[in-house]
Amino acid sequence: MTEKFDLLVDSCSDLPFDYLEQNNVQLVSMIINLNHKEYIDDLGKKFDYNWFMEQLKAEEMPSTSQINIGTYSEAFSHYVNADKPLLYVAFSSELSGSQRNAYSALRLLEEDNDSVSVTIVDSKAASLGEGLLIKEVIKQRDAGKSLKEVQEWLENNVNRVHSWVTVNDLNHLERGGRISKTSAAIGSLVKIKPIINVDPTGKLVNVGKVRGRKKSLEKIVSETKRTIISSEDQTILVAYAGDLEAGEYTKKLIEETIPVKAVEILPMGPTIASHTGYGAIAIFSFGIEK
């Protein structure tokens, strides 16, 4: 079946490049800055993920750069006076200025052209929360749904995506200015692990803390169980930042406590992992309205 629209995602979706390529999905990339060098987060096309995780494990502190207007202009320019429109499912506007740049690029093109067939939808999500939505969009696109139909589905379902995250490295959060040095020191000493989720606006919110790695993984599984709907019909996504063993353990916990269709484990992309640090684990599912 001929697709009725093209699909664009950014590298904060954490879906592997091969998967995007196989499903005819375009990609715009964030930039990672580490030791005075820039690296393109292409979701594994060329980026050396294992090397990057070793840098995080060694307590390196990368930063990330939002996608600029020029990059978006280049991507959108193919849809000037085009017959087939483009849908861009974007990283949460509350977590990056990239989406604002996308709208700026679109406005500039619209000023100079009669028609620019580009629609931008805020996923209000990050990592595989964004990826979860994109996987469903691919299914609907391939089933012949129109862009308008898919846009309406997205707008009705972005606040049904639940993201439960635990971070293993408090020192990374301290180095990134997210918690105080004192909180990091005390928390690390008594093995405190924060529990984080994404609120209805797309912001990351610290909603609790537990003591110990195992308890933190059990907590995000229990929160997923509490908020999920129609679990038997879902494939839950688990993202891990370098620590595959913890990802596998989380999968096992899910399978033991939640009746699901499947559990898929994928690496947390380098842009997101730059902010969580090594060892972060996140679970993503559709559930109750936030």
Side-chain angles (χ1 to χ4, degrees):
M1 181 179 291
T2 302
E3 296 162 357
K4 294 182 179 178
F5 61 91
D6 288 339
L7 180 58
L8 175 71
V9 303
D10 50 59
S11 49
C12 292
S13 66
D14 287 357
L15 294 171
F17 178 82
D18 289 346
Y19 173 83
L20 297 178
E21 188 173 47
Q22 289 163 11
N23 287 281
N24 195 25
V25 179
Q26 301 172 40
L27 174 68
V28 283
S29 293
M30 293 277 196
I31 301 295
I32 295 166
N33 308 286
L34 179 60
N35 294 329
H36 310 294
K37 291 184 179 180
E38 290 189 345
Y39 301 88
I40 297 172
D41 181 2
D42 58 14
L43 294 175
K45 181 182 181 182
K46 293 182 179 179
F47 190 90
D48 189 338
Y49 184 80
N50 292 330
W51 167 83
F52 184 72
M53 285 299 127
E54 288 302 317
Q55 304 308 302
L56 287 183
K57 205 171 182 180
E59 300 189 348
E60 292 289 350
M61 193 68 197
S63 61
T64 58
S65 300
Q66 61 195 29
I67 302 165
N68 62 41
I69 293 174
T71 298
Y72 282 119
S73 293
E74 184 178 351
F76 295 165
S77 65
H78 304 291
Y79 297 89
V80 171
N81 302 322
D83 294 327
K84 186 191 284 190
L86 175 72
L87 172 63
Y88 170 40
V89 182
F91 180 43
S92 173
S93 59
E94 291 291 342
L95 299 176
S96 170
S98 291
Q99 194 176 145
R100 287 192 294 274
N101 289 342
Y103 275 108
S104 295
L106 181 56
R107 283 194 296 270
L108 288 170
L109 286 170
E110 288 173 338
E111 287 174 5
D112 297 329
N113 299 279
D114 294 332
S115 170
V116 186
S117 301
V118 174
T119 299
I120 301 167
V121 175
D122 189 344
S123 71
K124 298 183 181 179
S127 185
L128 292 175
E130 186 180 344
L132 195 67
L133 290 166
I134 291 160
K135 278 177 168 283
E136 182 59 33
V137 168
I138 290 169
K139 289 178 189 175
Q140 294 194 21
R141 179 203 62 185
D142 293 351
K145 294 284 184 74
S146 68
L147 189 153
K148 187 175 181 180
E149 288 175 309
V150 174
Q151 180 184 3
E152 183 177 340
W153 180 87
L154 281 167
E155 290 170 349
N156 289 333
N157 285 275
V158 289
N159 279 329
R160 290 185 53 239
V161 173
H162 288 266
S163 310
W164 291 101
V165 188
T166 186
V167 174
N168 200 39
D169 183 1
L170 293 183
N171 290 321
H172 188 93
L173 294 183
E174 181 269 315
R175 290 192 298 274
R178 293 168 182 82
I179 61 174
S180 70
K181 187 170 288 189
T182 301
S183 295
I186 295 172
S188 296
L189 188 64
V190 296
K191 299 182 179 179
I192 291 293
K193 308 297 179 186
I195 305 299
I196 300 164
N197 74 2
V198 178
D199 75 7
T201 68
K203 290 181 182 177
L204 289 173
V205 181
N206 192 339
V207 293
K209 55 189 176 183
V210 296
R211 289 185 65 178
R213 175 68 156 171
K214 186 176 178 182
K215 286 185 178 178
S216 72
L217 300 178
E218 291 170 349
K219 180 64 173 176
I220 61 173
V221 171
S222 69
E223 290 297 330
T224 299
K225 183 178 181 180
R226 181 179 64 83
T227 53
I228 198 169
I229 288 177
S230 303
S231 61
E232 297 91 344
D233 301 325
Q234 290 195 49
T235 296
I236 290 180
L237 302 183
V238 176
Y240 68 94
D243 189 352
L244 177 57
E245 184 177 346
E248 294 283 3
Y249 178 71
T250 303
K251 176 183 178 181
K252 180 172 176 287
L253 286 176
I254 293 169
E255 292 171 337
E256 288 174 350
T257 57
I258 307 173
V260 294
K261 182 179 178 181
V263 181
E264 185 177 0
I265 306 175
L266 291 168
M268 186 177 289
T271 297
I272 302 298
S274 292
H275 299 282
T276 65
Y278 183 89
I281 298 288
I283 306 173
F284 305 92
S285 64
F286 287 108
I288 58 177
E289 187 87 13
K290 293 182 193 172

